[in-house]
Amino acid sequence: MNDYDVVIVGGGLVGASLAVALAPLSLKVALVETAPFPETKPSWDERCIGLNEATRVIFERMGVWAAIRPEAEPILSTHISERGRFGVARFTAQEAGLEALGYNTPMRTIGGVLWKSLSGAPNVRVICPAQVTALTHRPDAVRLTLSTNESLTARLVVAADGAQSAVRRMHGIGGEERNYGQTAIVGAVKPERAHHGVAYERFTPDGPIAVLPRHDNACVSIWTVPTEKSKVILGWDDERYLAEFQSAFGNRLGRFLETGRRSGYPLSRVMSEKLTAARTVFAGNAAQTLHPVAAQGFNLGLRDVATLAGLLMKASDPGAPELLHEYEARREQDRSATAGFTDRLVRTFSNDVPGLRGLRHLGLLALDLIPPVKESVMRQNLGQNAAL
């Protein structure tokens, strides 16, 4: 009863997506999650995540995009600028030949659709609340001991349990961590002017600011500042916060009239030293946790899911060394390119070195005016550089 082909540890968006992707296959799957999926009500200031074109295609092929789409706000264009400089880079869905460059979507919506899909999957067992407390390896399987005192065996374990992955730690595999010394203050604002589907990314010496379109002409706000400064900002009342955020962002959307709940998230980059271990694969934040600039993290994790699901479609042994090697080989280039792209953006633009300011300005102009440069960055943002 407790022997599985695949056990997924972590039922967040990446782990749940993999379970949905594997549901049509002739594999016996278990999903172990620390806590049940939270039943939250819609609100104008709820947390959202930006889904790019590659993610849309993956969700479409998984059969869940139609249920997600009604609450996904299309991003029709992006506007990238630096405070104190006139250079601006713009990307549009029209020049990309797409309906949208991406979709700003409530996390509640994505999680709800995925978990609803799992409820009707006969070969997927969801075990929650539970966590893995120990791993024992055999040549043909991994034995997992749960906090519920239940034991499972799996021919393949997929660790999708976050940046501080317990499964990774149990394997003795470390993570290369870079603390950016920044905190992202995530909330929502209502602007005076219509956003018209434009996503704004504005770089300041403190860190990037993102204002992303939402339903009802609201916007998600992400204000990245030094961690010490964030403690002060989170203590401001709404009036003070709106005034200071307005000053940092500018007046492209007119006055900000209202702000919602705000939370702070310390930012760091964690790169697992390996993408696989004995009969184990690391995916999503367990493989790599990125700075949220350019909204690359979850989209990269979902490409981990798509790659692994594709390999498992025809695998006779899901945990065979050859399959793990193939997964690692296929993911390494995309992973390195995307992690490097976000890291360079952060370190280049969160730096007030005088000589660098001029180079940043020229870089934004080149991004807007030189087609090959623009196309390369656009493909990276759309997730189209990865072969899935």
Side-chain angles (χ1 to χ4, degrees):
M1 290 290 292
N2 283 354
D3 294 339
Y4 293 90
D5 295 304
V6 180
V7 172
I8 304 165
V9 182
L13 297 187
V14 167
S17 293
L18 179 60
V20 172
L22 299 184
L25 307 184
S26 57
L27 295 172
K28 189 179 178 185
V29 179
L31 176 65
V32 180
E33 168 54 26
T34 303
F37 180 76
E39 293 293 336
T40 56
K41 295 181 179 180
S43 64
W44 79 270
D45 59 355
E46 65 186 320
R47 284 189 66 190
C48 293
I49 192 167
L51 309 179
N52 66 18
E53 172 63 11
T55 290
R56 182 198 67 77
V57 171
I58 293 168
F59 275 153
E60 189 171 65
R61 292 178 181 175
M62 285 168 53
V64 297
W65 178 244
I68 293 171
R69 177 63 182 89
E71 294 191 57
E73 183 70 13
I75 296 172
L76 305 179
S77 64
T78 59
H79 182 287
I80 306 168
S81 64
E82 182 179 9
R83 188 177 183 183
R85 296 280 178 169
F86 67 84
V88 172
R90 298 177 179 85
F91 298 88
T92 68
Q94 184 177 15
E95 65 187 350
L98 299 170
E99 175 192 275
L101 293 174
Y103 298 84
N104 198 30
T105 311
M107 295 179 70
R108 164 193 55 81
T109 300
I110 304 168
V113 169
L114 293 172
W115 278 62
K116 185 177 180 180
S117 297
L118 290 178
S119 67
N123 62 327
V124 179
R125 178 189 173 199
V126 177
I127 308 171
C128 68
Q131 59 189 63
V132 177
T133 58
L135 295 177
T136 306
H137 295 91
R138 303 195 319 235
D140 61 340
V142 178
R143 185 180 181 87
L144 302 93
T145 304
L146 306 186
S147 55
T148 58
N149 293 323
E150 184 177 2
S151 292
L152 315 176
T153 61
R155 293 201 289 166
L156 174 67
V157 174
V158 180
D161 53 343
Q164 305 304 322
S165 169
V167 174
R168 196 177 68 218
R169 186 174 65 251
M170 290 174 194
H171 277 282
I173 295 173
E176 178 195 345
E177 186 164 356
R178 173 174 291 153
N179 187 335
Y180 289 109
Q182 296 177 328
T183 292
I185 300 174
V186 180
V189 290
K190 287 187 176 178
E192 183 179 30
R193 299 175 188 159
H195 56 60
H196 297 300
V198 180
Y200 294 91
E201 186 101 43
R202 184 162 176 77
F203 292 97
T204 77
D206 280 347
I209 294 174
V211 177
L212 311 173
R214 278 208 47 156
H215 283 320
D216 303 323
N217 204 46
C219 296
V220 171
S221 61
I222 305 171
W223 190 3
T224 306
V225 296
T227 295
E228 285 303 312
K229 188 173 180 178
S230 72
K231 298 172 184 176
V232 176
I233 294 175
L234 288 168
W236 290 343
D237 61 21
D238 288 359
E239 184 178 0
R240 173 75 185 278
Y241 180 83
L242 280 174
E244 297 287 349
F245 186 74
Q246 185 87 64
S247 176
F249 176 75
N251 298 306
R252 288 179 172 84
L253 289 170
R255 288 192 312 115
F256 291 118
L257 306 175
E258 186 179 348
T259 182
R261 295 165 296 177
R262 300 177 291 278
S263 301
Y265 300 91
L267 302 179
S268 61
R269 186 178 92 151
V270 182
M271 302 290 288
S272 175
E273 292 174 357
K274 296 181 179 180
L275 288 180
T276 63
R279 290 195 170 271
T280 303
V281 158
F282 303 110
N285 284 347
Q288 62 276 318
T289 301
L290 308 183
H291 192 289
V293 66
Q296 296 287 302
F298 172 69
N299 294 291
L300 179 62
L302 197 65
R303 298 200 293 275
D304 292 343
V305 166
T307 301
L308 182 58
L311 290 172
L312 291 174
M313 286 179 70
K314 298 180 180 179
S316 57
D317 180 357
E322 297 80 11
L323 185 143
L324 303 188
H325 177 75
E326 182 69 14
Y327 172 81
E328 199 159 26
R330 290 194 185 190
R331 295 306 304 140
E332 189 52 49
Q333 183 176 357
D334 184 24
R335 176 182 189 248
S336 299
T338 305
F341 173 70
T342 58
D343 189 54
R344 285 191 297 273
L345 276 178
V346 175
R347 293 197 288 160
T348 300
F349 282 93
S350 298
N351 192 320
D352 212 23
V353 176
L356 193 57
R357 281 178 285 187
L359 291 175
R360 287 197 301 252
H361 174 63
L362 292 175
L364 280 176
L365 291 176
L367 196 56
D368 199 44
L369 299 175
I370 302 177
V373 175
K374 189 170 188 175
E375 182 180 355
S376 175
V377 172
M378 180 181 287
R379 288 183 60 82
Q380 177 65 56
N381 283 332
L382 293 173
Q384 293 179 334
N385 285 335
L388 297 178

